[in-house]
């Protein structure tokens, strides 16, 4: 969970989990934040050999998140 948050960040903003905060955050807080950051997690990730990997591959997932962030930003500008 933490690794995914550090690598891919939030779907809706440019935030990533700072490495220095890793040990300071309670498990329940990480879970809540992960769910907010990845509301459609099971749609875009699959569990393979004990790890969660993006269905689109790492680069594809990063592009998808960038595009989603851009769409949200554009919607906020027009609203």
């Amino acid at each position: 969970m933490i690794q995914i948050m550090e690598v891919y960040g939030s779907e809706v903003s440019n935030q990533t989990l700072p490495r220095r905060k890793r040990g300071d955050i309670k498990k329940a807080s990480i879970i809540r934040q992960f769910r907010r950051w990845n509301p459609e997690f099971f749609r875009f990730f699959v569990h393979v050999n004990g790890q969660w990997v993006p269905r689109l591959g790492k680069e594809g997932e990063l592009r998808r998140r960038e595009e989603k962030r851009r769409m949200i930003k554009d919607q906020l500008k027009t609203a």
Side-chain angles (χ1 to χ4, degrees):
M1 210 180 292
I2 291 174
Q3 181 182 5
I4 290 170
M5 292 171 75
E6 288 175 343
V7 173
Y8 301 104
S10 171
E11 279 193 21
V12 296
S13 71
N14 288 328
Q15 293 180 329
T16 57
L17 186 68
R19 288 188 182 269
R20 62 176 165 38
K21 287 185 84 176
R22 188 182 245 192
D24 298 338
I25 302 173
K26 295 178 184 177
K27 185 178 179 180
S29 296
I30 290 285
I31 292 169
R32 277 193 309 274
Q33 188 169 6
F34 184 83
R35 288 180 179 159
R36 282 194 309 266
W37 282 16
N38 301 284
E40 300 180 73
F41 179 76
F42 294 107
R43 181 174 168 203
F44 296 106
F45 282 78
V46 63
H47 196 256
V48 177
N49 296 328
Q51 288 188 315
W52 288 99
V53 293
R55 293 178 190 265
L56 301 172
K58 182 177 180 179
E59 294 302 318
E61 180 64 18
L62 291 170
R63 280 192 304 272
R64 182 191 72 80
R65 286 176 183 251
E66 184 65 32
E67 181 62 30
K68 185 165 184 177
R69 291 176 193 137
R70 189 176 308 117
M71 286 176 28
I72 291 170
K73 187 176 177 182
D74 291 344
Q75 288 174 353
L76 290 174
K77 282 183 182 179
T78 60

